[in-house]
Amino acid sequence: MLSKLDAGWFETPLGQHLLFREQRYFDQAVSDVFGFNAVQVGLPHIDFLRNSRIPLRVHCAVEAPAQVNADPMFLPFESQSLDLLLLPHVLEFSANPHQVLREAERVLRPEGRLVLAGFNPRSLWGLAHQLKGGERGYPWNGTFLNISRVKDWMVLLGLEVAGGSMCCYRPPINRENWLRRLRFMEPAGDRWWAMGGGVYFLQAVKRVQGMHVILPQWKHAVAPRLLAPAAKVLNSKVINLNQHRISREL
């Protein structure tokens, strides 16, 4: 997880470049999700829930200034209690990312929304990750996960992928002047290199199979047969009674 020194990386030109695009995506993703409870796990110094309309919004992480201190692999929330859960760069810095997703599925309500961000290993950022390694600190000390692997985990857990996007096609150069010169790569990347963004976003919805009551066919078949004879018996009694009255009058 992030230390205070790692959190300072977001103050660098490259960190600001990343944060601007991620904040814009999360602002849009959370604006149309409704409910009662929303939780952001990780990066507690950044408010990715600021545009959410959900009344209760909580930041959870192992470090300050989180409102709830907890390990993402063991969230202190009741099962099926959250309407919205954000995981910004949590999986690649967890010892067991699959367990983190399992916890996410547990705490989400049926039809609850999960939104996550991750660093793409198949990008210029991924190449820098291989060259620099963990000695350069955040974010290069994480384990970048393929988007296809994350999607497979979601499917196995019953989380249906409902959307996604990518950003940060520029090389991770920590110089503001070079980032400005290479800004043309953002629209070009969306068009020509759609899967090569340095960061990917995924949105998923927790699906729960509904129950359908199937009535036995014999109930529909027997009912008419029970009513038909009763009508015939009743009619026969009326006819017999009328014949008896007529015979007495004669």
Side-chain angles (χ1 to χ4, degrees):
M1 302 302 294
L2 281 179
S3 65
K4 292 183 179 180
L5 293 177
D6 294 332
W9 179 83
F10 285 92
E11 301 297 329
T12 65
L14 184 59
Q16 289 291 300
H17 163 69
L18 170 67
L19 182 58
F20 173 77
R21 279 150 185 82
E22 291 196 345
Q23 191 75 73
R24 184 172 58 182
Y25 181 86
F26 278 105
D27 284 348
Q28 182 179 3
V30 305
S31 62
D32 61 347
V33 180
F34 300 93
F36 299 97
N37 304 312
V39 172
Q40 174 184 322
V41 179
L43 300 183
H45 60 289
I46 304 171
D47 187 9
F48 288 123
L49 286 170
R50 67 181 186 182
N51 206 36
S52 174
R53 304 181 187 180
I54 296 178
L56 180 60
R57 301 185 294 272
V58 176
H59 291 77
C60 175
V62 296
E63 72 277 4
Q67 297 165 298
V68 177
N69 295 111
D71 190 322
M73 293 190 294
F74 307 100
L75 296 176
F77 305 110
E78 293 184 359
S79 299
Q80 300 186 6
S81 61
L82 304 183
D83 302 282
L84 175 63
L85 180 63
L86 306 186
L87 297 177
H89 301 291
V90 175
L91 300 183
E92 55 261 58
F93 295 96
S94 173
N96 192 341
H98 190 268
Q99 171 62 21
V100 175
L101 284 179
R102 188 181 294 113
E103 275 292 275
E105 187 277 333
R106 180 186 67 82
V107 300
L108 280 174
R109 296 179 185 270
E111 304 301 316
R113 180 68 61 95
L114 170 67
V115 186
L116 64 82
F119 292 107
N120 182 16
R122 298 181 179 179
S123 66
L124 294 177
W125 288 62
L127 179 61
H129 169 258
Q130 295 180 359
L131 296 177
K132 295 182 180 181
E135 70 275 4
R136 297 297 297 273
Y138 187 91
W140 319 114
N141 55 350
T143 302
F144 292 10
L145 300 172
N146 287 326
I147 188 172
S148 58
R149 175 181 296 183
V150 177
K151 286 182 177 180
D152 289 342
W153 287 344
M154 288 181 171
V155 172
L156 291 175
L157 293 171
L159 297 170
E160 180 181 311
V161 178
S165 183
M166 285 199 173
C167 70
C168 298
Y169 293 92
R170 292 174 240 190
I173 301 173
N174 202 8
R175 293 186 178 181
E176 187 174 355
N177 58 339
W178 277 103
L179 290 173
R180 286 199 303 266
R181 292 177 183 178
L182 297 173
R183 60 180 178 270
F184 69 90
M185 295 184 67
E186 296 299 326
D190 280 333
R191 183 174 182 180
W192 304 108
W193 194 19
M195 297 303 294
V199 173
Y200 59 80
F201 304 98
L202 286 176
Q203 296 188 44
V205 178
K206 180 178 178 178
R207 301 297 189 190
V208 177
Q209 297 296 330
M211 297 178 61
H212 300 279
V213 179
I214 302 177
L215 298 175
Q217 295 183 358
W218 61 267
K219 289 187 177 181
H220 300 285
V222 173
R225 296 177 182 176
L226 293 176
L227 293 176
K232 292 181 180 179
V233 172
L234 180 62
N235 291 335
S236 63
K237 289 183 178 179
V238 173
I239 294 173
N240 292 336
L241 180 60
N242 292 334
Q243 291 177 351
H244 179 67
R245 289 179 178 175
I246 294 173
S247 61
R248 288 184 62 183
E249 292 176 357
L250 294 174

